[in-house]
Amino acid sequence: MLSSSHAEWVLARFVGQEQSATLIGDLLEQRTERGAWWFWRSFSRLLLAVAWRPVVGFVAAVVMSATAYNALMTRIMGMWVTTAVQTTMLAAMAAWFIAVYAGVRYGLRDVLSHVAGVAATLFTISVVLWPYPMALQSAAAVALSVTFVFIVMRSHRAAIGTLLATGVVFFAGFSLMAYSSDAYVRHVLHIKHLGSPELQQNPSIEYVNLGLQLFGEAVTAIVCAKLHRRFVLGRDQELIAIK
Amino acid sequence: MKRPVALGEFEQIVLLAILRLGDEAYGVTIREEIAACTGREPSPGALYTTLTRMEEKRAIRSWLGEATLKRGGKAKRHVAVTEQGRKALSDSQRAYQSLLRGLNLLGGTDA
């Protein structure tokens, strides 16, 4: 049987523990007069109001990051792919993921959306221009100038920190996914050389990869939301100051 | 330079309700006040998202209050209008008053 504590737990996934407790407290205060049906109807509407942006933002971010990956992979096909190209490509994926997630969740006026959007564009341009050193150097100069301007702007500093920290989590998730996927293929399926025939014979590899990827991206989204709340909005500090 | 805070219609209603309630303003009382004055009760979701948005705009501030048994031991989140919110509200209301001037919509002597 569902209770108000379950409702509070679900709501806390989207608004934080403290907000969730006060919101459920508001509904409980009126439940004695209005009944359980009203409580659950109000809770459902409340949940819909607070959850649609994070959920839609996450789905859009996953799609965008996969699209960026496929587009950039097509672009670099046939190129001499160095570790630097791969790292820049991963950075572009991470930046697109964060830009789209923040854009949907916090709106296009949010500073994190701006900073991540600019970073995503610059990383993407860098990968595209990789075979042309002069153009690449120009892109790097623009990237450095933009970063400097953002650091000078006080309002954007917290967003840069949030972007960097979330980007590191994305990288870590991606590396962990690659390692776990390799371990699954080697130690569970006992496949030494993975090629197209092995992939066709073992469709579970695709499912495991997809599951690991979604897990890593979900962790990235959670970290992004927590850091944004704490540093970009500065809500936690403000509440402590008022207390 | 700080950009002036722009307020929507519902945001103005919520700010007015908070000002009317004074120290007693929190989720439940704000909804009741709006229902009593406008005849429309806002949904908890609409009120929560509006309060969050206004806090981000620095039009209101919030703090945790007392927990009661009736609320399942959960604290109230009290809200108050900031100076910035008060100014944004008076600017919006002034604009409404200018638009109303010369019209006899309220049936007063302002026609």
mmCIF file of all heavy atoms in Angstrom, chain A residues 164-182:
data_model
loop_
_atom_site.group_PDB
_atom_site.id
_atom_site.type_symbol
_atom_site.label_atom_id
_atom_site.label_comp_id
_atom_site.label_asym_id
_atom_site.label_seq_id
_atom_site.Cartn_x
_atom_site.Cartn_y
_atom_site.Cartn_z
ATOM 1 N N LEU A 164 32.308 21.666 -15.971
ATOM 2 C CA LEU A 164 33.533 20.862 -15.881
ATOM 3 C C LEU A 164 33.318 19.621 -15.025
ATOM 4 O O LEU A 164 33.674 18.510 -15.427
ATOM 5 C CB LEU A 164 34.673 21.699 -15.303
ATOM 6 C CG LEU A 164 35.293 22.739 -16.249
ATOM 7 C CD1 LEU A 164 36.321 23.571 -15.521
ATOM 8 C CD2 LEU A 164 35.936 22.041 -17.453
ATOM 9 N N ALA A 165 32.709 19.820 -13.839
ATOM 10 C CA ALA A 165 32.501 18.689 -12.928
ATOM 11 C C ALA A 165 31.563 17.657 -13.548
ATOM 12 O O ALA A 165 31.811 16.443 -13.477
ATOM 13 C CB ALA A 165 31.933 19.188 -11.602
ATOM 14 N N THR A 166 30.492 18.134 -14.206
ATOM 15 C CA THR A 166 29.551 17.202 -14.831
ATOM 16 C C THR A 166 30.219 16.493 -16.014
ATOM 17 O O THR A 166 29.982 15.302 -16.238
ATOM 18 C CB THR A 166 28.279 17.954 -15.300
ATOM 19 O OG1 THR A 166 27.835 18.789 -14.245
ATOM 20 C CG2 THR A 166 27.168 16.989 -15.657
ATOM 21 N N GLY A 167 31.065 17.238 -16.735
ATOM 22 C CA GLY A 167 31.795 16.633 -17.851
ATOM 23 C C GLY A 167 32.709 15.511 -17.379
ATOM 24 O O GLY A 167 32.798 14.466 -18.019
ATOM 25 N N VAL A 168 33.355 15.722 -16.229
ATOM 26 C CA VAL A 168 34.243 14.677 -15.666
ATOM 27 C C VAL A 168 33.426 13.431 -15.330
ATOM 28 O O VAL A 168 33.845 12.297 -15.606
ATOM 29 C CB VAL A 168 34.983 15.223 -14.412
ATOM 30 C CG1 VAL A 168 35.661 14.106 -13.643
ATOM 31 C CG2 VAL A 168 36.013 16.270 -14.829
ATOM 32 N N VAL A 169 32.226 13.642 -14.765
ATOM 33 C CA VAL A 169 31.357 12.505 -14.434
ATOM 34 C C VAL A 169 30.957 11.768 -15.720
ATOM 35 O O VAL A 169 30.935 10.534 -15.761
ATOM 36 C CB VAL A 169 30.101 12.980 -13.658
ATOM 37 C CG1 VAL A 169 29.108 11.841 -13.451
ATOM 38 C CG2 VAL A 169 30.505 13.564 -12.315
ATOM 39 N N PHE A 170 30.667 12.514 -16.781
ATOM 40 C CA PHE A 170 30.301 11.906 -18.068
ATOM 41 C C PHE A 170 31.466 11.057 -18.586
ATOM 42 O O PHE A 170 31.271 9.916 -19.009
ATOM 43 C CB PHE A 170 29.945 13.008 -19.068
ATOM 44 C CG PHE A 170 29.363 12.507 -20.360
ATOM 45 C CD1 PHE A 170 27.992 12.386 -20.513
ATOM 46 C CD2 PHE A 170 30.183 12.151 -21.423
ATOM 47 C CE1 PHE A 170 27.444 11.923 -21.704
ATOM 48 C CE2 PHE A 170 29.646 11.682 -22.626
ATOM 49 C CZ PHE A 170 28.276 11.578 -22.760
ATOM 50 N N PHE A 171 32.679 11.607 -18.534
ATOM 51 C CA PHE A 171 33.885 10.878 -18.969
ATOM 52 C C PHE A 171 34.055 9.598 -18.150
ATOM 53 O O PHE A 171 34.319 8.530 -18.693
ATOM 54 C CB PHE A 171 35.134 11.737 -18.775
ATOM 55 C CG PHE A 171 35.499 12.536 -19.990
ATOM 56 C CD1 PHE A 171 35.058 13.829 -20.131
ATOM 57 C CD2 PHE A 171 36.279 11.994 -20.998
ATOM 58 C CE1 PHE A 171 35.387 14.580 -21.250
ATOM 59 C CE2 PHE A 171 36.615 12.735 -22.124
ATOM 60 C CZ PHE A 171 36.165 14.034 -22.257
ATOM 61 N N ALA A 172 33.913 9.751 -16.828
ATOM 62 C CA ALA A 172 34.082 8.598 -15.938
ATOM 63 C C ALA A 172 33.038 7.529 -16.264
ATOM 64 O O ALA A 172 33.362 6.331 -16.331
ATOM 65 C CB ALA A 172 33.956 9.034 -14.478
ATOM 66 N N GLY A 173 31.803 7.946 -16.489
ATOM 67 C CA GLY A 173 30.722 7.019 -16.827
ATOM 68 C C GLY A 173 31.015 6.309 -18.134
ATOM 69 O O GLY A 173 30.817 5.096 -18.254
ATOM 70 N N PHE A 174 31.523 7.058 -19.109
ATOM 71 C CA PHE A 174 31.824 6.483 -20.413
ATOM 72 C C PHE A 174 32.970 5.473 -20.294
ATOM 73 O O PHE A 174 32.899 4.383 -20.869
ATOM 74 C CB PHE A 174 32.202 7.603 -21.392
ATOM 75 C CG PHE A 174 32.055 7.218 -22.827
ATOM 76 C CD1 PHE A 174 30.838 7.370 -23.484
ATOM 77 C CD2 PHE A 174 33.131 6.683 -23.526
ATOM 78 C CE1 PHE A 174 30.698 7.000 -24.802
ATOM 79 C CE2 PHE A 174 32.995 6.309 -24.852
ATOM 80 C CZ PHE A 174 31.787 6.472 -25.499
ATOM 81 N N SER A 175 33.991 5.832 -19.521
ATOM 82 C CA SER A 175 35.134 4.914 -19.344
ATOM 83 C C SER A 175 34.700 3.651 -18.624
ATOM 84 O O SER A 175 35.089 2.536 -19.004
ATOM 85 C CB SER A 175 36.238 5.594 -18.533
ATOM 86 O OG SER A 175 36.541 6.821 -19.088
ATOM 87 N N LEU A 176 33.867 3.838 -17.595
ATOM 88 C CA LEU A 176 33.371 2.684 -16.832
ATOM 89 C C LEU A 176 32.520 1.780 -17.723
ATOM 90 O O LEU A 176 32.594 0.557 -17.644
ATOM 91 C CB LEU A 176 32.552 3.175 -15.633
ATOM 92 C CG LEU A 176 32.252 2.137 -14.565
ATOM 93 C CD1 LEU A 176 33.538 1.728 -13.853
ATOM 94 C CD2 LEU A 176 31.253 2.680 -13.550
ATOM 95 N N MET A 177 31.736 2.420 -18.596
ATOM 96 C CA MET A 177 30.885 1.659 -19.514
ATOM 97 C C MET A 177 31.762 0.814 -20.448
ATOM 98 O O MET A 177 31.512 -0.376 -20.644
ATOM 99 C CB MET A 177 30.029 2.613 -20.339
ATOM 100 C CG MET A 177 29.070 1.914 -21.261
ATOM 101 S SD MET A 177 28.495 2.990 -22.577
ATOM 102 C CE MET A 177 29.718 2.697 -23.835
ATOM 103 N N ALA A 178 32.806 1.448 -20.990
ATOM 104 C CA ALA A 178 33.693 0.740 -21.915
ATOM 105 C C ALA A 178 34.378 -0.429 -21.202
ATOM 106 O O ALA A 178 34.445 -1.544 -21.735
ATOM 107 C CB ALA A 178 34.732 1.715 -22.461
ATOM 108 N N TYR A 179 34.835 -0.188 -19.962
ATOM 109 C CA TYR A 179 35.531 -1.222 -19.192
ATOM 110 C C TYR A 179 34.579 -2.374 -18.858
ATOM 111 O O TYR A 179 34.909 -3.546 -19.041
ATOM 112 C CB TYR A 179 36.099 -0.604 -17.904
ATOM 113 C CG TYR A 179 36.760 -1.603 -16.996
ATOM 114 C CD1 TYR A 179 38.056 -2.050 -17.262
ATOM 115 C CD2 TYR A 179 36.075 -2.116 -15.893
ATOM 116 C CE1 TYR A 179 38.651 -2.989 -16.437
ATOM 117 C CE2 TYR A 179 36.654 -3.059 -15.072
ATOM 118 C CZ TYR A 179 37.947 -3.497 -15.342
ATOM 119 O OH TYR A 179 38.527 -4.423 -14.535
ATOM 120 N N SER A 180 33.371 -2.034 -18.379
ATOM 121 C CA SER A 180 32.394 -3.061 -17.977
ATOM 122 C C SER A 180 31.935 -3.867 -19.183
ATOM 123 O O SER A 180 31.750 -5.084 -19.098
ATOM 124 C CB SER A 180 31.178 -2.423 -17.315
ATOM 125 O OG SER A 180 31.584 -1.583 -16.289
ATOM 126 N N SER A 181 31.750 -3.177 -20.306
ATOM 127 C CA SER A 181 31.306 -3.860 -21.513
ATOM 128 C C SER A 181 32.376 -4.869 -21.964
ATOM 129 O O SER A 181 32.067 -6.011 -22.313
ATOM 130 C CB SER A 181 31.051 -2.815 -22.592
ATOM 131 O OG SER A 181 30.760 -3.440 -23.793
ATOM 132 N N ASP A 182 33.640 -4.432 -21.895
ATOM 133 C CA ASP A 182 34.752 -5.301 -22.273
ATOM 134 C C ASP A 182 34.836 -6.504 -21.333
ATOM 135 O O ASP A 182 35.028 -7.643 -21.775
ATOM 136 C CB ASP A 182 36.056 -4.484 -22.219
ATOM 137 C CG ASP A 182 37.227 -5.262 -22.761
ATOM 138 O OD1 ASP A 182 37.125 -5.715 -23.923
ATOM 139 O OD2 ASP A 182 38.220 -5.454 -22.028
#
